[in-house]
Amino acid sequence: MSLALDAAAQDLLFREAQTANTFTDEPVTDEQVQAVYDLVKFGPTAFNQSPLRITLIRSQEARQRLVTHAMGANGPKTLSAPLTAILSVDLEFHEKLPHLFPHAPGVKDAFFSEAAPREAAGTQNATLQAGYFIVGVRAAGLAAGPMTGFDFTGIDKEFFGDGKQKSFLVINMGKPGAEAFFPRSPRLTFDEAVTTV
């Protein structure tokens, strides 16, 4: 095998990890979430823009507000998870670029002064960070249940009324419960997915 990561870590992060649909009631602590963030914040983004914002849903009141925007089975799954995160893009991420990208102070205005290109770049890079976040949750020994089956416009009005954040993913987190995993679906082979030119 040509990977530097040992087989157990490969299994934890990828081969044996699956999307969880049920969870135990074991809590996910603030310390665990901070450890996840402190690891995945080092994943690259363009101009180090780091536009992902994470809103943790802990209280029953906030959870009830969230599930009013869920589709189908995503509501019951979310109600039973010990912790849920709303992932969103900060539509004003450029304001932090002088701090995050100090060696090129002109980037903020040169590339991100207009809202439309800023939102496009922020969404692309926040989505990239969401992938890092899922792998980080797995690295903490937890299961992640990412979902897009929500009314994100409704979530934005409910939780981000100022219009400065735009949600795009909801992730349930915790220890997997009974019958947490569906049978693994097929994946493309290397030859189906990779082309050399």
Side-chain angles (χ1 to χ4, degrees):
M1 184 64 74
S2 59
L3 297 176
L5 202 63
D6 69 42
Q10 294 171 41
D11 288 343
L12 178 70
L13 299 179
F14 295 102
R15 284 194 291 260
E16 293 180 4
Q18 289 184 251
T19 296
N21 295 287
T22 68
F23 298 89
T24 70
D25 58 4
E26 182 178 335
V28 177
T29 67
D30 290 339
E31 291 78 15
Q32 285 173 299
V33 179
Q34 181 161 353
V36 169
Y37 180 77
D38 286 342
L39 176 67
V40 304
K41 69 183 180 183
F42 293 109
T45 57
F47 299 110
N48 196 34
Q49 61 188 249
S50 307
L52 180 69
R53 301 295 176 263
I54 302 163
T55 303
L56 299 177
I57 304 297
R58 284 203 182 276
S59 72
Q60 280 304 312
E61 181 269 335
R63 193 174 302 275
Q64 290 293 340
R65 288 166 53 208
L66 176 60
V67 299
T68 64
H69 306 288
M71 299 175 188
N74 290 340
K77 283 192 276 191
T78 300
L79 286 174
S80 69
L83 183 63
T84 301
I86 301 170
L87 272 55
S88 59
V89 56
D90 180 355
L91 298 176
E92 296 187 355
F93 71 85
H94 65 307
E95 297 295 345
K96 297 188 184 302
L97 283 176
H99 168 68
L100 294 172
F101 209 65
H103 55 283
V107 163
K108 172 183 176 283
D109 296 320
F111 292 97
F112 302 115
S113 60
E114 296 183 16
R118 184 168 67 243
E119 180 175 342
T123 300
Q124 182 182 50
N125 284 275
T127 304
L128 180 63
Q129 286 185 282
Y132 304 145
F133 185 75
I134 291 168
V135 174
V137 169
R138 293 172 173 181
L142 302 170
M147 301 170 289
T148 56
F150 281 77
D151 171 10
F152 287 106
T153 300
I155 288 176
D156 294 345
K157 289 177 182 174
E158 186 82 36
F159 291 93
F160 313 123
D162 61 5
K164 295 180 181 179
Q165 292 185 58
K166 188 172 183 179
S167 60
F168 63 92
L169 191 64
V170 173
I171 301 180
N172 290 326
M173 294 178 280
K175 293 288 186 181
E179 300 179 359
F181 306 118
F182 298 141
R184 189 183 286 282
S185 298
R187 298 298 196 265
L188 296 177
T189 66
F190 180 87
D191 290 338
E192 290 172 311
V194 179
T195 302
T196 301
V197 294

